[in-house]
Each structure stands twice: as structure tokens, then as C-alpha cells.
Amino acid sequence: MSAGFHGRRRPVVDSARIPPGQHLTETFPVLSAGPTPHTPLDQWTFTIRGAVDRPVSWTWDEFLALPSRTFTTDIHCVTRWSKLDTVWTGVAIDTLLAGLDISASYAVAYCDGGYTTNVPLADLRGDQAVIAHSYDGVPLEAQHGGPARLLVPHLYFWKSAKWIRGIELRHDDAPGFWERYGYHNYGDPWQEQRYSGD
Ligand SMILES: Nc1nc2c(c(=O)[nH]1)N[C@H]1C(S)=C(S)[C@@H](COP(=O)(O)O)O[C@H]1N2
Ligand SMILES: [Mo]
């Protein structure tokens, strides 16, 4: 069958890639709980602190000099939009944790503006999460979390903390901003873990 048979060419959507209760969007909505911070890059640092033998920090230049990877993934927001084939470039959390002596099982991402979100450390390891600094091949826009955001695409998008400045490693779990307001503690879109109790 020719592509022209159906008229205008449309992207082929693989419904198996859309979690339950989600619909596709072609736009890129902005969801922020407060104003967009604008931290100058010469004042930006990224720090891993808490249950680690020693805290480690990178300046912006040091962070950008780390090996990064570009990859394509789908993102799923708890407000029910999903966006397929988004292209990100960033530094794997594995790269940031390499060489550290870590006794923690939990992580809390903290951000300029005060937003936090908690993720089991295991979900940030194994090439599952990056600190992204570019989207679609260009520096990440401030409204989408630039200069850098966490990206943990296998969980609902509220776990992908914008304007991230560091990760606190913890022995115990501690709910973040939305988790304290009743969002699910873990947030697996395939299990529809939207709210506490789901
Ligand atoms: N710092 C910070 N990160 C955040 C948020 C926020 O309000 N502040 N919102 C979260 C939510 S609920 C979603 S759905 C996504 C939205 O990212 P976007 O604005 O790039 O679409 O960012 C997440 N990360
Ligand atoms: Mo969200």
C-alpha cells in the first residue's frame, strides 16, 4: 500500500509505547511550580552530597567536559500527555557516581528554586538517567530546565527535576515536592502510579 493511499503522511504511532491513560502530544508543554530561575553559568555547580564518602562538585565547564551521550526517548507527564522520540544530550548519572564510595539507597534531586524529587538510587543507575544539558541538539531552554535537568524517562516526568543543582544521597527515603502533595512516591507510568495509593 502506498503512503499516499491515506492522504497526508502522518507519523506512525505505536500504541504500545503509550502508557495507560496517556495521550500523545506533538507540542512540548511547560509545567513549572514556580518562576523559572536564571542562575548564571559561572555560579552554577553540580554537587553530589549526603551518604557518600566525600561530597563532589563540578563547575559548569567541568560538567560540560564530562563524557555525555545523546539518545532518543519517550516522556510521560502525570497530567496525561506523552511525547515520543524526544532527543536529549547529557551526562549519565553513572558517570557522576563513578569512583564514589556510596552507602545510600535513595536519592533526592534538589534544584534552583527549591523543587525536590526523590528517586531510588537504583533507578538513576544502569544508564537509566542523565543530567541533560541539551534538547534536540541545542542547549536546553530555561523553561524546560536549562541549563541542566535530571532526566529519568522511565518514571513520570515530575521526577525529571528542572534546574537541578545536585543530588543528595540518603539511607532513608524522603518525599520531594510533589510527593509530599500526594503524588505517588515512585511514579511508574506503566503501572499508572499517579497519586499516593495508586
Ligand atoms: N525544578 C522543577 N522541576 C520540575 C518541575 C518544577 O515545577 N520545578 N515540574 C515537574 C513536572 S510536574 C513536569 S511534568 C516536568 C515538566 O517539564 P517541562 O516543563 O520541560 O515539560 O518537569 C518536572 N520538573
Ligand atoms: Mo507533571
Side-chain angles (χ1 to χ4, degrees):
M1 193 186 304
S2 79
F5 184 81
H6 291 291
R8 267 204 296 156
R9 243 212 287 188
R10 286 191 304 153
V12 177
V13 170
D14 181 356
S15 59
R17 289 169 63 186
I18 306 168
Q22 297 292 110
H23 63 258
L24 283 186
T25 181
E26 299 292 329
T27 67
F28 195 167
V30 173
L31 284 105
S32 303
T36 295
H38 293 276
T39 301
L41 292 180
D42 62 4
Q43 288 166 32
W44 187 93
T45 51
F46 188 88
T47 301
I48 294 176
R49 67 181 193 203
V52 56
D53 52 336
R54 61 196 156 89
V56 272
S57 277
W58 293 264
T59 65
W60 178 253
D61 289 340
E62 290 167 344
F63 173 75
L64 274 194
L66 294 170
S68 65
R69 51 184 289 257
T70 297
F71 62 98
T72 302
T73 192
D74 304 340
I75 53 181
H76 310 291
C77 175
V78 73
T79 61
R80 298 185 182 274
W81 57 265
S82 290
K83 186 169 175 62
L84 302 184
D85 296 323
T86 59
V87 181
W88 303 84
T89 305
V91 178
I93 304 289
D94 294 316
T95 300
L96 299 170
L97 298 182
L100 300 184
D101 186 3
I102 294 168
S103 54
S105 301
Y106 300 96
V108 174
Y110 60 92
C111 306
D112 283 323
Y115 186 87
T116 57
T117 188
N118 57 315
V119 184
L121 185 55
D123 284 79
L124 300 182
R125 293 187 182 273
D127 222 8
Q128 296 184 91
V130 301
I131 305 300
H133 55 69
S134 297
Y135 175 77
D136 245 350
V138 294
L140 185 58
E141 281 180 74
Q143 62 178 357
H144 287 301
R149 80 182 294 165
L150 178 62
L151 186 70
V152 46
H154 69 285
L155 301 178
Y156 279 124
F157 206 32
W158 87 77
K159 298 286 186 180
S160 293
K162 304 197 281 189
W163 316 302
I164 192 168
R165 289 294 300 276
I167 292 173
E168 179 167 85
L169 298 173
R170 300 177 57 96
H171 296 292
D172 59 327
D173 200 4
F177 178 84
W178 282 121
E179 293 84 6
R180 284 195 296 268
Y181 276 99
Y183 279 28
H184 196 276
N185 193 58
Y186 182 63
D188 179 351
W190 297 97
Q191 304 295 324
E192 265 204 281
Q193 294 174 342
R194 299 176 189 277
Y195 307 108
S196 138
D198 284 348

